[in-house]
Amino acid sequence: MKIHNFSAGPSILPQEVMEQASAAVLELDNSGLSLIEISHRSKSFISIMEEACELALRLTGLSGKGYKALFLQGGASQQFLMTAYNLLEKKAGYINTGTWSTKAMKEAELFGKVVEIASSKDQNFNYIPEGYDIPSDLDYLHLTTNNTIFGTQYKEIPDTQVPLVADMSSDVFSRKWDYSKFDLFYAGAQKNMGPAGTTLVIVKEELLGNVSRSIPSMLDYTVQIKGGSMFNTPPVFAIFTSLLTLRWIEAQGGVEAIGKKNSIKATHLYGEIDKNSKFIGFAAQKDRSEMNATFNLVDPQLAAPFDALCEAAGISGLKGHRSVGGYRASIYNALPMKSIETLVDCMQVLEKKY
Ligand SMILES: *Cc1c(COP(=O)(O)O)cnc(C)c1O
């Protein structure tokens, strides 16, 4: 049976990416060698790394604008500390929109003063805060563009005088945006780009070198840039698979075309959530995520029949995060419309039957 994979991460990747990645594990480009047994210093791998970095910059419209792309390790969680290690001298501002922002703040506190500029904690993070002042003396402002757990997403990029840093783990490459408003953004691969094991960082070079502390080599963006993301052995499989996804995005027409498809998918699902008397959306309507749709049953008693309907339809990974409960449909770039339609069908059957 065809499984419809709504998992929040690791999550669905395009089928052709899976096939190409599998083939490369057996043999890379008729070389007689596997992708995972060649030197990362070989010509073949260096060209993979270079293409992945170039493509990441091209897709975000940042080529030739003073940015560098890096493929690092340690997940987005390591970026929580690396951003602060490299950028926080005195004081940084954070917008707290959920679990991941909270964790980012906790790490940053090890390096300097952290100011919570705004928070949506008062309503269990079901909205994106608005109408706050951003002090002009911050080293940077950090935000999470898409809140994977709560299902909220920024629609507009806040205007700020200070450098803007973002965790884009769950919505990078999902829409057309003015990425040049960000001075640094990062994304763990496993939500929308590839397997776990690598993290994309895109950083404006002029942002670096402004803190007075010494930074361990592995955690120093400047060292990583100098080493071409190969200060040590990089996770070659995760980077190659991410490259395949980036090529797939470009072949689909880039982030603008992907973004249009994502909007259509999300609109279809939210339309049903709003129309269907058995369900209620979790996130504030204006802030709803086009990547993770969170919703609950009006009557929790219907969980067993709804879960059974979903299982019979081949739906996987729909369970909500424990901090929200209910359901979360992660509808990343590679999730086909067919999967949304299947979920909507199950919701409609539930409404009709009960
Ligand atoms: C999943 C996720 C993380 C954590 O990523 P790791 O790579 O597991 O460290 C951080 N931020 C956001 C927005 C996420 O969705």
Side-chain angles (χ1 to χ4, degrees), residues 68-70 203 205 208 220-229:
K68 287 280 192 242
L70 294 168
V203 55
E205 267 193 290
L208 303 174
D220 186 338
Y221 292 124
T222 306
V223 171
Q224 293 287 2
I225 289 171
K226 224 183 255 163
S229 301

Side-chain angles (χ1 to χ4, degrees), residues 74-78 80 100 144 146 148 167 169-170 188 190-191 199:
S77 299
Q78 183 163 295
F80 297 162
W100 299 119
T144 312
N146 184 71
T148 325
D167 177 358
S169 291
S170 49
Q190 71 275 14
K191 306 281 165 55
T199 309

Side-chain angles (χ1 to χ4, degrees), residues 43-340:
K43 254 197 185 143
S44 311
F45 189 74
I46 288 175
S47 91
I48 288 168
M49 181 69 99
E50 285 175 355
E51 187 189 342
C53 292
E54 273 168 31
L55 202 42
L57 292 174
R58 192 155 79 232
L59 287 167
T60 49
L62 295 176
S63 304
K65 293 191 178 160
Y67 288 80
K68 287 280 192 242
L70 294 168
F71 284 89
L72 304 180
Q73 300 184 57
S77 299
Q78 183 163 295
Q79 293 310 309
F80 297 162
L81 68 101
M82 259 179 95
T83 46
Y85 221 145
N86 286 264
L87 307 176
L88 175 49
E89 181 78 12
K90 289 203 174 75
K91 189 163 89 170
Y94 280 68
I95 301 183
N96 188 1
T97 51
T99 311
W100 299 119
S101 312
T102 307
K103 289 191 176 183
M105 288 166 69
K106 175 166 180 275
E107 298 305 302
E109 277 162 8
L110 297 168
F111 302 94
K113 189 169 158 62
V114 168
V115 189
E116 188 180 77
I117 301 296
S119 167
S120 49
K121 194 171 181 189
D122 59 338
Q123 291 183 45
N124 197 21
F125 300 113
N126 76 349
Y127 69 100
I128 300 286
E130 274 175 83
Y132 43 81
D133 292 323
I134 303 166
S136 58
D137 61 344
L138 299 175
D139 293 325
Y140 61 87
L141 177 72
H142 180 286
L143 55 87
T144 312
T145 53
N146 184 71
N147 297 282
T148 325
I149 292 175
F150 299 93
T152 61
Q153 185 178 32
Y154 278 83
K155 306 290 150 145
E156 315 244 333
I157 307 166
D159 271 320
T160 161
Q161 309 294 317
V162 304
L164 190 57
V165 173
D167 177 358
M168 289 192 197
S169 291
S170 49
D171 69 348
V172 72
F173 304 119
S174 72
R175 58 176 157 176
K176 184 167 186 264
W177 238 24
D178 186 357
Y179 289 90
S180 73
K181 284 199 170 175
F182 297 93
D183 297 86
L184 186 154
F185 56 94
Y186 57 88
Q190 71 275 14
K191 306 281 165 55
N192 224 350
M193 191 168 57
T198 193
T199 309
L200 172 68
V201 177
I202 293 187
V203 55
K204 206 173 203 174
E205 267 193 290
E206 66 181 34
L207 192 64
L208 303 174
N210 296 324
V211 288
S212 50
R213 71 174 64 85
S214 311
I215 305 171
S217 306
M218 274 294 282
L219 303 178
D220 186 338
Y221 292 124
T222 306
V223 171
Q224 293 287 2
I225 289 171
K226 224 183 255 163
S229 301
M230 292 207 244
F231 178 76
N232 74 329
T233 315
V236 294
F237 179 74
I239 294 167
F240 180 69
T241 309
S242 298
L243 166 62
L244 295 175
T245 310
L246 297 180
R247 283 184 188 156
W248 175 84
I249 293 172
E250 189 164 64
Q252 304 280 305
V255 291
E256 183 165 12
I258 287 269
K260 281 186 186 147
K261 280 187 202 163
N262 286 335
S263 292
I264 293 170
K265 280 157 38 184
T267 303
H268 190 50
L269 179 55
Y270 284 119
E272 184 60 28
I273 292 170
D274 290 340
K275 201 160 61 194
N276 192 309
S277 60
K278 302 298 177 202
F279 293 95
I280 182 161
F282 173 77
Q285 292 217 6
K286 67 174 179 50
D287 300 323
R288 281 173 163 175
S289 166
E290 295 198 340
M291 294 284 101
N292 312 93
T294 44
F295 54 100
N296 293 75
L297 279 162
V298 174
D299 174 8
Q301 303 273 356
L302 290 182
F306 182 59
D307 294 351
L309 279 169
C310 289
E311 200 186 331
I315 286 172
S316 166
L318 200 67
K319 194 170 166 14
H321 189 272
R322 61 191 176 280
S323 44
V324 179
Y327 299 95
R328 168 175 54 173
S330 297
I331 53 179
Y332 297 123
N333 289 344
L335 186 96
M337 186 65 173
K338 181 82 193 118
S339 296
I340 305 264

Side-chain angles (χ1 to χ4, degrees), residues 15-54:
Q15 188 59 33
E16 61 194 82
V17 166
M18 298 290 197
E19 283 160 15
Q20 291 163 5
S22 311
V25 169
L26 295 174
E27 185 180 5
L28 181 66
D29 296 338
N30 301 314
S31 61
L33 293 166
S34 163
L35 165 69
I36 58 174
E37 66 178 354
I38 58 168
S39 166
H40 58 290
R41 309 270 176 212
S42 64
K43 254 197 185 143
S44 311
F45 189 74
I46 288 175
S47 91
I48 288 168
M49 181 69 99
E50 285 175 355
E51 187 189 342
C53 292
E54 273 168 31

